[in-house]
Amino acid sequence: MSCPFVREPPIAEGARVIRSVFRIQRILRDRQDPLAQRDSVLIERYRFSREGIIYLTTLLDPHVKSTTHRSRALTTAQTVCIALRFFASGTFLYACGDAENVGKSAVCRAIRKVYLALKHYLGVFVVFPSHVRPQVVKQGFFAIAGFPNVIGAIDCTHIAIQAPPVILTFQMAIYNGRRVFTHDTIPQMVCDSMCHITNVEAKWPGSVHDARIFRESGLCTSFERGAYDGILLGDRGYACRQYFMTPFPDPDPGPRTRYNAALARTRARIEMTFGQLKERFQCLRRLRVAPDRACDIIVACAVLHNIATIRGEGTPVVEVQPEDDLQPVHLDQPSGRAARDRIVQHNFA
């Protein structure tokens, strides 16, 4: 029965009871300060010390801070720590959310904010040939095994990703890795003698050969124009060029064998860099995201690796990286073979 003194339309008592029973209570969680822990705990969880996290928070704040303070929005420090926990552990989003006391969707948004923000600083922290003078880079490489004029060690590494949707048959095929039953993306990286990443190319599917990735990269174009004074070191999966030294195939004992040994010891820096990168950021063992997002996360981890290395955040214990089963490239350029012979004659004869 309606009441003439009430302006609101009448509501049946039964409907009121049903609405109260099925009403969803809004829960605002009390999130603890992620920095209120000892440094040892922070490094284990996030791979950065308290000072390192504060540095990242200040650096990324213009890109990741919330535009509102309603509903207890995440602070920049919380957003950064959520992303760092995911990068460091590689676990499922809901597990990161449970650990940080936030929902799965909030974790997904935080991770995306951070890795897109880190991409803005790629040109700041990933610089070729290095942050130091080229002569210092050459001296660092020469001190390893006596290989002259080296400004970078280059290689590619496979990072397993979630299989693309079944409907995208062509995409599934190109992302099939060289190993059985895997879908990979294969970033190319260059490092200096201190295991700083100096160049990263993360856009290629796992079926592409290392030599093609380099041949179509901007770094190769720059070397072809003569932009750098120095050489790169690579494995037998690349062609020998005037600025790119590779091993001799099946050398006889003597200078060529010594050359191969020195090249292998010097080029091992890139394998060490891959090992440190994957040990520091376990998400790179397998990324359960789409290929385009996987490439963005790889770039973000490369930037974080350089920040951690420059700041001295601690070097993780490196596992030996398995070598790729690549067919050797025999299309060596004549100028490359001549340059390689000169290095052997002047330094290893």
Side-chain angles (χ1 to χ4, degrees), residues 29 36 127 146 220 280 309 328-329:
R29 297 183 177 93
V127 181
C220 178
R280 180 174 273 136
T309 305
V329 174

Side-chain angles (χ1 to χ4, degrees), residues 168-207:
L168 302 177
T169 307
F170 172 72
Q171 193 179 31
M172 287 187 67
I174 64 174
Y175 278 96
N176 283 337
R178 296 174 193 152
R179 301 179 178 89
V180 183
F181 306 125
T182 62
H183 293 81
D184 299 340
T185 182
I186 179 167
Q188 171 188 277
M189 296 188 188
V190 184
C191 75
D192 62 13
S193 60
M194 296 173 287
C195 294
H196 296 149
I197 296 172
T198 57
N199 183 269
V200 57
E201 186 105 0
K203 64 180 182 180
W204 292 94
S207 60

Side-chain angles (χ1 to χ4, degrees), residues 19-64:
R19 183 178 296 177
S20 64
V21 170
F22 289 97
R23 179 178 298 167
I24 299 176
Q25 296 293 331
R26 191 176 185 188
I27 301 175
L28 299 178
R29 297 183 177 93
D30 182 20
R31 306 185 184 98
Q32 61 181 357
D33 180 11
L35 299 181
Q37 301 286 344
R38 301 187 308 274
D39 262 5
S40 59
V41 176
L42 293 177
I43 292 173
E44 182 180 2
R45 291 180 180 178
Y46 308 117
R47 299 299 190 263
F48 283 87
S49 63
R50 179 183 178 85
E51 289 74 16
I53 295 175
I54 293 174
Y55 173 80
L56 289 172
T57 301
T58 305
L59 180 71
L60 302 179
D61 182 69
H63 303 282
V64 305

Side-chain angles (χ1 to χ4, degrees), residues 82-105:
I82 289 170
L84 289 178
R85 182 184 282 267
F86 171 76
F87 296 150
S89 64
T91 188
F92 292 95
L93 298 184
Y94 67 81
C96 287
D98 293 345
E100 298 291 334
N101 202 20
V102 295
K104 178 181 176 181
S105 58

